Amino acid sequence: MPEIEFRNVGYAVGGRQILCDISFSVEAGETLVLLGRSGSGKTTALRLINAMLLPASGELRVAGRPTTAHDRVALRRSIGYVIQDAGLFPHFTVARNVGLVPSLENWPREKVNARVAELLDRVGLPSQEFANRKPRELSGGQRQRVGVARALAADPRILLFDEPFGALDPVTRLDLQNEFLRLRDELRKTSVFVTHDVREAMRLATRIALLDQGRLAFLGTPAEFRRSDNPEAARFLEVLRPDGAAC
């Protein structure tokens, strides 16, 4: 059974169609990258998964149940979510940011503290050095690492990433992509990752879902994406061709 399944999903705002009849599934342990231009519907699709939005048509299933049948708060707490610039609470310490969802789920304080220390160490931020800092005391890359740790805190089966590395410099971005790949291989979480950067998509994805004006234009592996004759895929592939040379 897929972890996530879009069944002819549509979404509209004020009569304007954002997503049109989208169907695809995400299997356990895979990383599906939602690739597309600005306004293609990537983030809307992501927000439908954790029921921040609900489909206008069709059905979206998570863990075998329609999102409309889940308790929406419980569903969101069961899914890790990482956004650009991490979205940390500025008045919380790093430790309190990371431990937020386990605390809301009434984990014992000792268990929360142990989980925070474990995850900070796992993302390369030693807890003794970073746990009591505030977000303003961190670099952009460090804040994103805290965001990833926070998303992992309650051990969710699903992780959602909304262009998490888009605002970072190229070197830091590459470092965090490497960290993402390491954690993916270690933890085997099901991940959906939004980006408009085809290089990032090719590097991180087990499969790519290319959205074009709210429709699914392509779905397949990075190798299949390179071979695709879809016009929108071809436009993205031009970025990978140095001086117009073939891939």
Side-chain angles (χ1 to χ4, degrees), residues 33-56:
V33 170
L34 295 173
L35 175 66
R37 307 186 198 200
S38 297
S40 62
K42 307 183 300 296
T43 294
T44 297
L46 196 75
R47 290 176 177 172
L48 286 164
I49 295 171
N50 67 354
M52 291 178 71
L53 304 172
L54 296 176

Side-chain angles (χ1 to χ4, degrees), residues 143-161:
R143 287 194 296 272
Q144 286 307 103
R145 289 172 184 268
V146 174
V148 171
R150 182 176 63 180
L152 290 168
D155 198 21
R157 293 169 59 177
I158 296 171
L159 297 172
L160 306 180
F161 296 83

Side-chain angles (χ1 to χ4, degrees), residues 189-237:
K189 299 293 186 183
T190 304
S191 301
V192 182
F193 194 108
V194 164
T195 187
H196 60 265
D197 183 339
V198 65
R199 291 188 179 90
E200 186 165 68
M202 298 292 279
R203 180 172 171 75
L204 302 183
T206 52
R207 286 192 302 153
I208 295 171
L210 176 64
L211 296 181
D212 181 20
Q213 298 182 51
R215 298 185 181 276
L216 184 63
F218 169 87
L219 180 65
T221 66
E224 290 167 340
F225 187 83
R226 283 186 179 274
R227 298 193 297 268
S228 174
D229 58 3
N230 177 274
E232 186 68 3
R235 294 298 301 277
F236 275 93
L237 286 168

Side-chain angles (χ1 to χ4, degrees), residues 111-133:
K111 185 179 178 181
V112 173
N113 291 342
R115 182 64 171 165
V116 168
E118 172 197 348
L119 288 171
L120 287 177
D121 290 343
R122 188 181 286 274
V123 300
L125 300 174
S127 57
Q128 289 186 337
E129 181 179 353
F130 289 94
N132 293 319
R133 293 191 188 184

Side-chain angles (χ1 to χ4, degrees), residues 11-208:
Y11 185 80
V13 175
R16 183 171 71 91
Q17 200 72 22
I18 308 298
L19 292 175
C20 307
D21 199 29
I22 297 292
S23 294
F24 63 85
S25 61
V26 186
E27 301 299 326
E30 82 163 314
T31 298
L32 182 82
V33 170
L34 295 173
L35 175 66
R37 307 186 198 200
S38 297
S40 62
K42 307 183 300 296
T43 294
T44 297
L46 196 75
R47 290 176 177 172
L48 286 164
I49 295 171
N50 67 354
M52 291 178 71
L53 304 172
L54 296 176
S57 59
E59 183 179 76
L60 201 162
R61 300 176 74 87
V62 174
R65 296 171 57 205
T67 53
T68 52
H70 284 267
D71 178 283
R72 293 171 72 176
V73 172
L75 178 64
R76 289 172 196 154
R77 289 183 183 176
S78 73
I79 295 175
Y81 192 46
V82 185
I83 63 174
Q84 194 173 112
D85 201 30
L88 303 177
F89 291 102
H91 55 294
F92 283 7
T93 63
V94 165
R96 192 174 175 194
N97 268 288
V98 173
L100 179 61
V101 173
S103 296
L104 291 172
E105 292 294 300
N106 296 315
W107 287 24
R109 181 177 295 277
E110 296 77 11
K111 185 179 178 181
V112 173
N113 291 342
R115 182 64 171 165
V116 168
E118 172 197 348
L119 288 171
L120 287 177
D121 290 343
R122 188 181 286 274
V123 300
L125 300 174
S127 57
Q128 289 186 337
E129 181 179 353
F130 289 94
N132 293 319
R133 293 191 188 184
K134 296 288 182 65
R136 65 176 178 273
E137 300 175 270
L138 307 178
S139 69
Q142 289 169 340
R143 287 194 296 272
Q144 286 307 103
R145 289 172 184 268
V146 174
V148 171
R150 182 176 63 180
L152 290 168
D155 198 21
R157 293 169 59 177
I158 296 171
L159 297 172
L160 306 180
F161 296 83
D162 192 359
E163 302 200 59
F165 311 144
L168 302 174
D169 65 83
V171 173
T172 302
R173 186 170 188 164
L174 181 61
D175 286 345
L176 286 175
Q177 288 172 357
N178 289 336
E179 190 71 18
F180 173 85
L181 290 170
R182 181 183 66 80
L183 290 171
R184 183 189 71 185
D185 292 343
E186 285 182 6
L187 303 176
R188 308 302 300 170
K189 299 293 186 183
T190 304
S191 301
V192 182
F193 194 108
V194 164
T195 187
H196 60 265
D197 183 339
V198 65
R199 291 188 179 90
E200 186 165 68
M202 298 292 279
R203 180 172 171 75
L204 302 183
T206 52
R207 286 192 302 153
I208 295 171

